[in-house]
Amino acid sequence: MYAERVSRVPGAVVWTQGAEGGDDAVTVLPDGCMDLLWTEGRLLVAGPDTRAYRHGLGAQGPWVGVRFFPGTAPGLLGVPAHELRDRRVELADLWSGAEVRRLIERVDSAGDPAVALEELALRLAAGAPPPDPLLRAVVASLVAGRSVAATAESVGLGARQLHRRALTAFGYGPKTLARVLRLQRALALVRAGVPFAETAALAGFADQAHLARDVREFTGESLSGLVRR
């Protein structure tokens, strides 16, 4: 069974996935985020996705994750987001193997691995520079449906500067980030029962066909099929 809660790390979410979950329960759709992951004996980082990621995590044992607010994980983990785009990477490939082994043992032996992983994330946040308010402003602007050009102007960056900053922080350029965030807006509306055509208009798509094309591109499924599943 999948469950999530708000984390003590600002803007983050702690999620758990039981061993009985099955493949469908752990299909991850692009959301602009990065995750720190634990399963027994392993710590991994999930990079930002540009397509649905499907993996039978449930069949391999329980998993725990901390999903960071878009743009914040690279500063905590010390790796540019674009280097991890569409990848799941062992933390030992990014940090000292001895250090990661100690962290794995600490989470493995904890009474509640979700709490232990969240505490690790809190320590990372405490030791890192404060989140860049410019990056949060970019996310807020794009979530509100503003264009990339308007967003760049609102944060005082040129188009090329914004693109470079976005690659490091989010893993892809601002246009892709805007599309991912728009998709998430649409899916939230659909889950709330809003009809497809109305969802397309409210989320900022040209029409329902435009929404359907983006869903197909990012998830590999039709809109109706995704909703049913």
Side-chain angles (χ1 to χ4, degrees), residues 165-209:
R165 295 284 290 272
L167 283 178
T168 299
F170 307 116
Y172 27 65
K175 289 184 178 180
T176 299
L177 177 63
R179 294 180 65 207
V180 166
L181 296 174
R182 184 177 61 187
L183 175 69
Q184 286 294 327
R185 289 199 303 275
L187 293 178
L189 290 167
V190 168
R191 292 185 189 110
V194 179
F196 292 167
E198 186 178 352
T199 288
L202 291 173
F205 291 88
D207 50 29
Q208 184 176 330

Side-chain angles (χ1 to χ4, degrees), residues 14 25 41 44 57 66 69 74-76 86 107 136 143 145 151 155 169 174 182-183 185 191 201 207 213 219 223:
V14 177
L44 306 92
L57 298 180
V66 177
F69 187 83
L76 306 184
D86 293 319
V107 182
R136 286 185 174 265
V143 164
T151 296
V155 297
R182 184 177 61 187
L183 175 69
R185 289 199 303 275
R191 292 185 189 110
D207 50 29
R213 287 194 299 273
T219 74
L223 178 57

Side-chain angles (χ1 to χ4, degrees), residues 85-194:
R85 184 172 54 238
D86 293 319
R87 299 175 63 198
R88 271 61 180 162
V89 178
E90 299 285 343
L91 188 61
D93 292 338
L94 306 176
W95 293 2
S96 159
E99 179 184 7
V100 173
R101 284 192 295 273
R102 287 194 297 271
L103 295 174
I104 291 172
E105 290 172 0
R106 184 180 303 167
V107 182
D108 281 356
S109 62
D112 187 337
V115 172
L117 189 68
E118 183 181 26
E119 289 175 350
L120 170 57
L122 283 166
R123 289 195 296 273
L124 293 178
D132 188 344
L134 183 146
L135 298 175
R136 286 185 174 265
V138 168
V139 173
S141 179
L142 296 176
V143 164
R146 299 188 184 95
S147 69
V148 171
T151 296
E153 183 177 359
S154 71
V155 297
L157 294 178
R160 291 183 179 179
Q161 290 175 305
L162 178 59
H163 188 81
R164 287 195 298 270
R165 295 284 290 272
L167 283 178
T168 299
F170 307 116
Y172 27 65
K175 289 184 178 180
T176 299
L177 177 63
R179 294 180 65 207
V180 166
L181 296 174
R182 184 177 61 187
L183 175 69
Q184 286 294 327
R185 289 199 303 275
L187 293 178
L189 290 167
V190 168
R191 292 185 189 110
V194 179

